């Protein structure tokens, strides 16, 4: 069975930049160790990718903090994480969940048996969105989330997102 790892939005703006938190900074070492345990060909790395007009978008109106604008320092992966993902597949996504990611992994699942593990930021926004999209595309594929390699906007929202994923038959470890 092939085991895939999805590393969600481990970007500077979410770790220690515009929307960073101490909890996000704290998971970086565990994220790096998790990444090192997978073959690079089995790793998918998402990047939240906004354009300079972000503040004029629906998301910008609801979350008026400019972040992850393509080409900026905040859009780049955390330096320590970037150092261990060379050779992975990168997926830029304009919003919380990635249809492209779900389609890419569904294509793999149509050819071989897989499991999917998710880690990253933020548990209550992009991690949960991608986990649920993957589950909707592949209801019979085992999907898990390593809670020690995720952080939410707040610890309370992190826990709420983990509970939502448990309710949707995603294995929270």
């Amino acid at each position: 069975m092939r085991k895939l790892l999805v590393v969600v939005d481990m970007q500077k703006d979410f770790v220690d930049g515009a929307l960073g938190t101490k909890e996000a900074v704290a998971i970086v070492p565990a994220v790096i160790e998790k990444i090192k345990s997978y073959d690079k060909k089995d790793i998918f790395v998402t990047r939240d990718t906004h354009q300079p007009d972000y503040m004029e978008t629906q998301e910008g109106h609801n979350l008026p903090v400019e972040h992850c604008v393509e080409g900026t320092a905040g859009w780049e992966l955390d330096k320590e994480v970037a150092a261990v993902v060379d050779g992975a597949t990168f997926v830029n996504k304009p919003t919380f969940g990635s249809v492209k990611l779900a389609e890419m992994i569904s294509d793999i699942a149509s050819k071989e048996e897989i499991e999917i593990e998710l880690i990253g930021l933020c548990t209550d926004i992009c991690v949960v969105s991608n986990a649920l999209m993957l589950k909707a595309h592949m209801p019979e594929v085992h999907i898990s989330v390593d809670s020690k390699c995720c952080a939410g906007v707040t610890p309370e929202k992190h826990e709420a997102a983990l509970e939502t994923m448990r309710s949707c038959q995603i294995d929270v470890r």
Side-chain angles (χ1 to χ4, degrees):
M1 165 139 4
R2 186 171 173 190
K3 295 181 180 185
L4 306 179
L5 179 67
V6 177
V7 180
V8 180
D9 299 356
M10 288 298 298
Q11 294 160 275
K12 180 162 181 50
D13 272 345
F14 291 126
V15 175
D16 61 3
L19 295 170
T21 64
K22 68 181 192 297
E23 292 84 10
V25 171
I27 69 165
V28 170
V31 165
I32 290 167
E33 288 309 307
K34 179 71 69 173
I35 290 168
K36 287 179 178 179
S37 73
Y38 278 81
D39 189 314
K40 297 298 185 269
K41 72 176 177 42
D42 295 329
I43 299 174
F44 293 80
V45 178
T46 70
R47 289 182 291 210
D48 197 42
T49 303
H50 300 298
Q51 301 308 311
D53 68 346
Y54 170 78
M55 296 301 280
E56 294 149 31
T57 67
Q58 181 175 320
E59 182 181 331
H61 290 250
N62 288 298
L63 177 62
V65 178
E66 191 172 270
H67 65 281
C68 297
V69 174
E70 189 170 15
T72 66
W75 176 77
E76 297 294 331
L77 291 178
D78 171 84
K79 286 188 187 321
E80 292 178 73
V81 173
V84 296
V85 293
D86 189 40
T89 300
F90 290 83
V91 179
N92 293 341
K93 56 184 192 53
T95 189
F96 313 124
S98 174
V99 172
K100 180 180 177 182
L101 175 71
E103 290 171 347
M104 291 169 73
I105 294 178
S106 291
D107 185 54
I108 294 168
S110 72
K111 298 173 183 135
E112 60 187 298
E113 195 172 346
I114 65 168
E115 289 185 359
I116 305 165
E117 183 174 23
L118 291 94
I119 61 174
L121 301 168
C122 294
T123 318
D124 50 312
I125 302 173
C126 295
V127 174
V128 69
S129 295
N130 283 288
L132 293 175
M133 288 183 79
L134 290 164
K135 193 66 169 173
H137 272 78
M138 298 164 284
E140 295 303 316
V141 169
H142 182 264
I143 299 175
S144 65
V145 174
D146 185 336
S147 63
K148 293 180 201 73
C149 292
C150 295
V153 173
T154 66
E156 296 78 20
K157 288 186 176 193
H158 169 75
E159 289 301 325
L162 295 175
E163 190 54 40
T164 295
M165 288 185 274
R166 281 185 194 100
S167 295
C168 295
Q169 301 174 4
I170 293 165
D171 184 18
V172 177
R173 299 177 178 164

